Amino acid sequence: MSTVLTDLPGLTLPDPANAPRCFQLDRRTFLQLFGGGLLVCLSDAPGLAQESGRGGFGGGRQQVPSDVSAWIHVAADNKISVFTGKVEVGQNIRTSLAQLVAEELMVPFDAITMVMGDTDLTPYDMGTFGSQSTPQMGPRLRTMAAAARQTLVDMAAKRWSCDAAALVVANGTITAPNANQSLTYGELTKGEKLVATVSGNAPLTPAKDWKIAGTPVPKANGRDFVTGKHQYPSDITLPGMMFGKIVRPQGYNATLDSIDTTAAEKMPGVKLVRDGDFIGLVAPDAWTAEQALASIKAKWNVAAGQPSNQTIFDYLKANSEAPRGGSRSVVGVAPAAIAEAAPAATAAPSPGALSLAQSYTVQYIAHAPLEPRAAVAQWDSTGKLTVWTGTQRPFGVKDELVAAFHLDPSKVRVIQPDMGSGYGGKHTGDAAVEAARLAKSAGAPVRLVWTREEEFTWAYFRPAGLMELKASVQHDGTLVSWEHHNYNSGNAGLPTPYNVANPVTEYHASKSPLRIGRSEERRVVKECRS
């Protein structure tokens, strides 16, 4: 079911705790932002789990809510705002999702404005990943748009005391042909006070009848991108903003031995920030920040014996944990006993079968987004933190900030301007947390942009892996055994697609020397001591 309302004065809900998330936007804020009109909220089935396998970090919030709200707002001037927690990272969903809504609402494409990835305005969303935006969010927004259209038609029919089925909808206008009357969506919603429950089963426009969806249209905001007008996260500028830099270790797992910041502290406007192992600085401009960073003399103790490319796969196998996360099928053994068994299972070939064993490897792979990690952080006088950052998971980054600074979730807002790609490499809020730490200490907004070197060194990687496979086959071609051990590179897609009795498939997490995108490595939040 979905709930439709116009304006919000006097609105009460029988059980606010069970209301869709859209009702968490208070009336005053809603009216300031959108000036009244029609708001559509759709309670849907639980969202998909995150690619990382977690609902988020910290904050104690409900990670996968029982319903996911999605919003459509029809303003009095016929402009339509569509809200989604999905984000634009170059895949052009700002355009394609807007097309779907325009199609179902029967309005021009240009009437749609997508509001994306703003944790104060959009419904909770677990993230933009796994090519799920179109198959997951597309149908949801189509359903909402169809429900909104049907509700507007019913409103017009009630006003004219006629049969809703006799009304015609086109270009955001509802017409009664027999009575020669027409109303735009904006004229219908203006000044109305309606709380109505509508079915989520409003008829969708068949694909064969699409006029906007599925057709080539110019990219939304395309001119801003090609002319350089668009503001990426690394372009955001605020009044009084300072520029941040972080002192990075000289190697992985290094500890600080000593540091000399004398030269940096003598530079005009430079302020050092020290919080445990976190060392950073802010300066009035980017050039001064770079010079100050270069002047700092830090001595690090780097752990010896770190693996090289030549030894990495032996290292991953030697430093692997007990098998978990895959699937094991052993005759006569209960699943619980299999999970607790320490020795690795072995798939025994049948007598007379032909056997083959082979190992495969995959290297660590940097995601190499076109735009390195970047964030601008600002604390206001009430203690609220707002961060503009490039991320595939705005709500996940919000959770990291909540945990890092021990804040109430209402005190954190994450905004994702359309960013320069992610490729699955921007799930965490590294730059956001760092920028917020610097801004809190500096008492001013701070922009932090990682260098390309930092991106390739300190961002998490796609994990390296060693895959060892054994199989045996009878002379008639029947596959009789299958054994697959994956070290470090995850448990997705491991089971064999072939029909074989008692296959053995195991994932062995390893002590990776590099940060990787495996779910248990994604949490990078460190609490701020100050």
Side-chain angles (χ1 to χ4, degrees), residues 242-246 264 267-271 280-296 447-448:
M242 302 189 78
F243 295 79
K245 286 291 181 181
I246 306 298
M267 296 182 181
V270 173
K271 181 176 180 180
L281 61 87
V282 295
D285 58 79
W287 172 253
T288 301
E290 291 175 4
Q291 297 306 300
L293 180 66
S295 73
I296 293 176
R447 180 203 288 174
L448 176 71

mmCIF file of all heavy atoms in Angstrom, residues 242-246 264 267-271 280-296 447-448:
data_model
loop_
_atom_site.group_PDB
_atom_site.id
_atom_site.type_symbol
_atom_site.label_atom_id
_atom_site.label_comp_id
_atom_site.label_asym_id
_atom_site.label_seq_id
_atom_site.Cartn_x
_atom_site.Cartn_y
_atom_site.Cartn_z
ATOM 1 N N MET A 242 38.520 25.656 4.285
ATOM 2 C CA MET A 242 39.944 25.392 4.341
ATOM 3 C C MET A 242 40.231 24.077 3.615
ATOM 4 O O MET A 242 39.304 23.317 3.288
ATOM 5 C CB MET A 242 40.439 25.357 5.778
ATOM 6 C CG MET A 242 40.159 26.642 6.541
ATOM 7 S SD MET A 242 40.950 26.708 8.157
ATOM 8 C CE MET A 242 42.644 27.115 7.678
ATOM 9 N N PHE A 243 41.518 23.812 3.380
ATOM 10 C CA PHE A 243 41.916 22.653 2.595
ATOM 11 C C PHE A 243 42.733 21.714 3.474
ATOM 12 O O PHE A 243 43.645 22.147 4.182
ATOM 13 C CB PHE A 243 42.721 23.099 1.378
ATOM 14 C CG PHE A 243 41.915 23.917 0.418
ATOM 15 C CD1 PHE A 243 41.667 25.262 0.670
ATOM 16 C CD2 PHE A 243 41.367 23.344 -0.717
ATOM 17 C CE1 PHE A 243 40.899 26.034 -0.205
ATOM 18 C CE2 PHE A 243 40.607 24.105 -1.602
ATOM 19 C CZ PHE A 243 40.363 25.446 -1.348
ATOM 20 N N GLY A 244 42.388 20.434 3.417
ATOM 21 C CA GLY A 244 42.995 19.471 4.314
ATOM 22 C C GLY A 244 43.956 18.518 3.644
ATOM 23 O O GLY A 244 43.864 18.240 2.450
ATOM 24 N N LYS A 245 44.886 18.002 4.440
ATOM 25 C CA LYS A 245 45.807 16.957 4.036
ATOM 26 C C LYS A 245 46.017 16.019 5.215
ATOM 27 O O LYS A 245 45.926 16.442 6.379
ATOM 28 C CB LYS A 245 47.156 17.525 3.592
ATOM 29 C CG LYS A 245 47.141 18.190 2.226
ATOM 30 C CD LYS A 245 46.944 17.157 1.123
ATOM 31 C CE LYS A 245 46.942 17.780 -0.256
ATOM 32 N NZ LYS A 245 46.735 16.774 -1.326
ATOM 33 N N ILE A 246 46.329 14.753 4.909
ATOM 34 C CA ILE A 246 46.551 13.741 5.933
ATOM 35 C C ILE A 246 47.986 13.236 5.839
ATOM 36 O O ILE A 246 48.500 12.999 4.741
ATOM 37 C CB ILE A 246 45.573 12.557 5.763
ATOM 38 C CG1 ILE A 246 44.123 13.061 5.724
ATOM 39 C CG2 ILE A 246 45.761 11.540 6.886
ATOM 40 C CD1 ILE A 246 43.659 13.762 6.977
ATOM 41 N N ALA A 264 55.873 23.206 9.311
ATOM 42 C CA ALA A 264 54.482 23.363 8.896
ATOM 43 C C ALA A 264 53.747 24.362 9.783
ATOM 44 O O ALA A 264 52.958 25.184 9.305
ATOM 45 C CB ALA A 264 53.776 22.014 8.916
ATOM 46 N N MET A 267 53.974 28.069 8.891
ATOM 47 C CA MET A 267 53.356 28.567 7.662
ATOM 48 C C MET A 267 52.058 29.293 7.983
ATOM 49 O O MET A 267 51.271 28.843 8.819
ATOM 50 C CB MET A 267 53.099 27.408 6.698
ATOM 51 C CG MET A 267 54.362 26.733 6.212
ATOM 52 S SD MET A 267 54.006 25.413 5.018
ATOM 53 C CE MET A 267 55.659 24.826 4.678
ATOM 54 N N PRO A 268 51.804 30.445 7.329
ATOM 55 C CA PRO A 268 50.610 31.242 7.615
ATOM 56 C C PRO A 268 49.319 30.448 7.419
ATOM 57 O O PRO A 268 49.106 29.840 6.367
ATOM 58 C CB PRO A 268 50.704 32.394 6.611
ATOM 59 C CG PRO A 268 52.139 32.466 6.241
ATOM 60 C CD PRO A 268 52.657 31.056 6.296
ATOM 61 N N GLY A 269 48.477 30.449 8.443
ATOM 62 C CA GLY A 269 47.150 29.842 8.332
ATOM 63 C C GLY A 269 47.104 28.345 8.492
ATOM 64 O O GLY A 269 46.016 27.756 8.442
ATOM 65 N N VAL A 270 48.244 27.695 8.673
ATOM 66 C CA VAL A 270 48.272 26.236 8.794
ATOM 67 C C VAL A 270 47.972 25.821 10.229
ATOM 68 O O VAL A 270 48.507 26.398 11.180
ATOM 69 C CB VAL A 270 49.632 25.664 8.357
ATOM 70 C CG1 VAL A 270 49.712 24.164 8.657
ATOM 71 C CG2 VAL A 270 49.856 25.912 6.871
ATOM 72 N N LYS A 271 47.126 24.829 10.372
ATOM 73 C CA LYS A 271 46.794 24.295 11.700
ATOM 74 C C LYS A 271 46.958 22.780 11.665
ATOM 75 O O LYS A 271 46.409 22.112 10.787
ATOM 76 C CB LYS A 271 45.373 24.663 12.097
ATOM 77 C CG LYS A 271 44.977 24.145 13.479
ATOM 78 C CD LYS A 271 43.589 24.605 13.875
ATOM 79 C CE LYS A 271 43.209 24.067 15.269
ATOM 80 N NZ LYS A 271 41.858 24.510 15.683
ATOM 81 N N GLY A 280 46.736 15.209 10.714
ATOM 82 C CA GLY A 280 46.362 15.955 9.526
ATOM 83 C C GLY A 280 46.625 17.425 9.714
ATOM 84 O O GLY A 280 47.117 17.875 10.763
ATOM 85 N N LEU A 281 46.280 18.207 8.696
ATOM 86 C CA LEU A 281 46.459 19.649 8.773
ATOM 87 C C LEU A 281 45.441 20.317 7.875
ATOM 88 O O LEU A 281 44.877 19.703 6.960
ATOM 89 C CB LEU A 281 47.886 20.038 8.359
ATOM 90 C CG LEU A 281 48.345 19.694 6.943
ATOM 91 C CD1 LEU A 281 47.985 20.786 5.923
ATOM 92 C CD2 LEU A 281 49.849 19.471 6.910
ATOM 93 N N VAL A 282 45.202 21.575 8.143
ATOM 94 C CA VAL A 282 44.360 22.400 7.286
ATOM 95 C C VAL A 282 45.119 23.677 6.964
ATOM 96 O O VAL A 282 45.961 24.126 7.749
ATOM 97 C CB VAL A 282 43.003 22.735 7.937
ATOM 98 C CG1 VAL A 282 42.175 21.481 8.131
ATOM 99 C CG2 VAL A 282 43.190 23.460 9.261
ATOM 100 N N ALA A 283 44.810 24.238 5.799
ATOM 101 C CA ALA A 283 45.463 25.461 5.349
ATOM 102 C C ALA A 283 44.451 26.278 4.551
ATOM 103 O O ALA A 283 43.436 25.748 4.090
ATOM 104 C CB ALA A 283 46.688 25.127 4.501
ATOM 105 N N PRO A 284 44.736 27.570 4.364
ATOM 106 C CA PRO A 284 43.758 28.419 3.661
ATOM 107 C C PRO A 284 43.636 28.147 2.171
ATOM 108 O O PRO A 284 42.689 28.606 1.536
ATOM 109 C CB PRO A 284 44.275 29.836 3.935
ATOM 110 C CG PRO A 284 45.714 29.669 4.256
ATOM 111 C CD PRO A 284 45.833 28.347 4.934
ATOM 112 N N ASP A 285 44.589 27.435 1.572
ATOM 113 C CA ASP A 285 44.504 27.105 0.154
ATOM 114 C C ASP A 285 45.192 25.764 -0.083
ATOM 115 O O ASP A 285 45.970 25.281 0.754
ATOM 116 C CB ASP A 285 45.128 28.193 -0.712
ATOM 117 C CG ASP A 285 46.588 28.444 -0.366
ATOM 118 O OD1 ASP A 285 47.440 27.655 -0.805
ATOM 119 O OD2 ASP A 285 46.870 29.419 0.367
ATOM 120 N N ALA A 286 44.912 25.159 -1.230
ATOM 121 C CA ALA A 286 45.419 23.821 -1.520
ATOM 122 C C ALA A 286 46.940 23.796 -1.637
ATOM 123 O O ALA A 286 47.585 22.847 -1.198
ATOM 124 C CB ALA A 286 44.774 23.297 -2.812
ATOM 125 N N TRP A 287 47.533 24.833 -2.243
ATOM 126 C CA TRP A 287 48.978 24.868 -2.418
ATOM 127 C C TRP A 287 49.689 24.894 -1.066
ATOM 128 O O TRP A 287 50.650 24.153 -0.842
ATOM 129 C CB TRP A 287 49.379 26.069 -3.255
ATOM 130 C CG TRP A 287 50.861 26.301 -3.330
ATOM 131 C CD1 TRP A 287 51.572 27.284 -2.712
ATOM 132 C CD2 TRP A 287 51.805 25.517 -4.053
ATOM 133 N NE1 TRP A 287 52.913 27.172 -3.014
ATOM 134 C CE2 TRP A 287 53.083 26.101 -3.833
ATOM 135 C CE3 TRP A 287 51.711 24.391 -4.871
ATOM 136 C CZ2 TRP A 287 54.247 25.575 -4.404
ATOM 137 C CZ3 TRP A 287 52.861 23.877 -5.441
ATOM 138 C CH2 TRP A 287 54.110 24.462 -5.199
ATOM 139 N N THR A 288 49.226 25.767 -0.160
ATOM 140 C CA THR A 288 49.842 25.841 1.169
ATOM 141 C C THR A 288 49.698 24.513 1.901
ATOM 142 O O THR A 288 50.625 24.063 2.590
ATOM 143 C CB THR A 288 49.215 26.968 1.998
ATOM 144 O OG1 THR A 288 49.386 28.214 1.308
ATOM 145 C CG2 THR A 288 49.853 27.081 3.371
ATOM 146 N N ALA A 289 48.535 23.867 1.747
ATOM 147 C CA ALA A 289 48.330 22.576 2.404
ATOM 148 C C ALA A 289 49.344 21.547 1.903
ATOM 149 O O ALA A 289 49.910 20.781 2.690
ATOM 150 C CB ALA A 289 46.909 22.085 2.156
ATOM 151 N N GLU A 290 49.604 21.529 0.601
ATOM 152 C CA GLU A 290 50.570 20.585 0.040
ATOM 153 C C GLU A 290 51.986 20.890 0.533
ATOM 154 O O GLU A 290 52.752 19.972 0.861
ATOM 155 C CB GLU A 290 50.522 20.651 -1.486
ATOM 156 C CG GLU A 290 49.235 20.099 -2.083
ATOM 157 C CD GLU A 290 49.162 20.287 -3.585
ATOM 158 O OE1 GLU A 290 50.166 20.780 -4.155
ATOM 159 O OE2 GLU A 290 48.132 19.956 -4.181
ATOM 160 N N GLN A 291 52.346 22.171 0.585
ATOM 161 C CA GLN A 291 53.680 22.539 1.053
ATOM 162 C C GLN A 291 53.858 22.202 2.527
ATOM 163 O O GLN A 291 54.935 21.750 2.956
ATOM 164 C CB GLN A 291 53.918 24.036 0.817
ATOM 165 C CG GLN A 291 53.910 24.441 -0.648
ATOM 166 C CD GLN A 291 54.883 23.618 -1.477
ATOM 167 O OE1 GLN A 291 56.087 23.616 -1.217
ATOM 168 N NE2 GLN A 291 54.361 22.910 -2.470
ATOM 169 N N ALA A 292 52.816 22.430 3.316
ATOM 170 C CA ALA A 292 52.893 22.107 4.742
ATOM 171 C C ALA A 292 53.063 20.609 4.951
ATOM 172 O O ALA A 292 53.857 20.168 5.790
ATOM 173 C CB ALA A 292 51.642 22.609 5.456
ATOM 174 N N LEU A 293 52.310 19.813 4.178
ATOM 175 C CA LEU A 293 52.432 18.359 4.296
ATOM 176 C C LEU A 293 53.845 17.902 3.938
ATOM 177 O O LEU A 293 54.436 17.055 4.624
ATOM 178 C CB LEU A 293 51.400 17.673 3.401
ATOM 179 C CG LEU A 293 51.391 16.150 3.422
ATOM 180 C CD1 LEU A 293 50.956 15.639 4.789
ATOM 181 C CD2 LEU A 293 50.488 15.588 2.327
ATOM 182 N N ALA A 294 54.396 18.475 2.876
ATOM 183 C CA ALA A 294 55.733 18.078 2.429
ATOM 184 C C ALA A 294 56.809 18.440 3.448
ATOM 185 O O ALA A 294 57.872 17.799 3.497
ATOM 186 C CB ALA A 294 56.037 18.735 1.086
ATOM 187 N N SER A 295 56.540 19.449 4.285
ATOM 188 C CA SER A 295 57.547 19.897 5.256
ATOM 189 C C SER A 295 57.569 19.054 6.529
ATOM 190 O O SER A 295 58.502 19.163 7.326
ATOM 191 C CB SER A 295 57.283 21.358 5.633
ATOM 192 O OG SER A 295 56.147 21.475 6.478
ATOM 193 N N ILE A 296 56.571 18.232 6.734
ATOM 194 C CA ILE A 296 56.495 17.422 7.950
ATOM 195 C C ILE A 296 57.453 16.239 7.847
ATOM 196 O O ILE A 296 57.481 15.525 6.840
ATOM 197 C CB ILE A 296 55.050 16.932 8.184
ATOM 198 C CG1 ILE A 296 54.142 18.126 8.517
ATOM 199 C CG2 ILE A 296 54.997 15.895 9.301
ATOM 200 C CD1 ILE A 296 52.680 17.768 8.663
ATOM 201 N N ARG A 447 37.728 20.981 2.835
ATOM 202 C CA ARG A 447 37.704 20.108 1.665
ATOM 203 C C ARG A 447 38.950 19.227 1.688
ATOM 204 O O ARG A 447 40.066 19.720 1.848
ATOM 205 C CB ARG A 447 37.687 20.889 0.368
ATOM 206 C CG ARG A 447 37.668 19.974 -0.885
ATOM 207 C CD ARG A 447 38.210 20.674 -2.114
ATOM 208 N NE ARG A 447 37.271 21.676 -2.608
ATOM 209 C CZ ARG A 447 37.557 22.514 -3.617
ATOM 210 N NH1 ARG A 447 38.743 22.460 -4.206
ATOM 211 N NH2 ARG A 447 36.670 23.403 -4.014
ATOM 212 N N LEU A 448 38.722 17.924 1.527
ATOM 213 C CA LEU A 448 39.821 16.961 1.471
ATOM 214 C C LEU A 448 39.675 16.156 0.190
ATOM 215 O O LEU A 448 38.637 15.521 -0.026
ATOM 216 C CB LEU A 448 39.783 16.025 2.679
ATOM 217 C CG LEU A 448 40.834 14.911 2.695
ATOM 218 C CD1 LEU A 448 42.224 15.490 2.956
ATOM 219 C CD2 LEU A 448 40.502 13.853 3.740
#
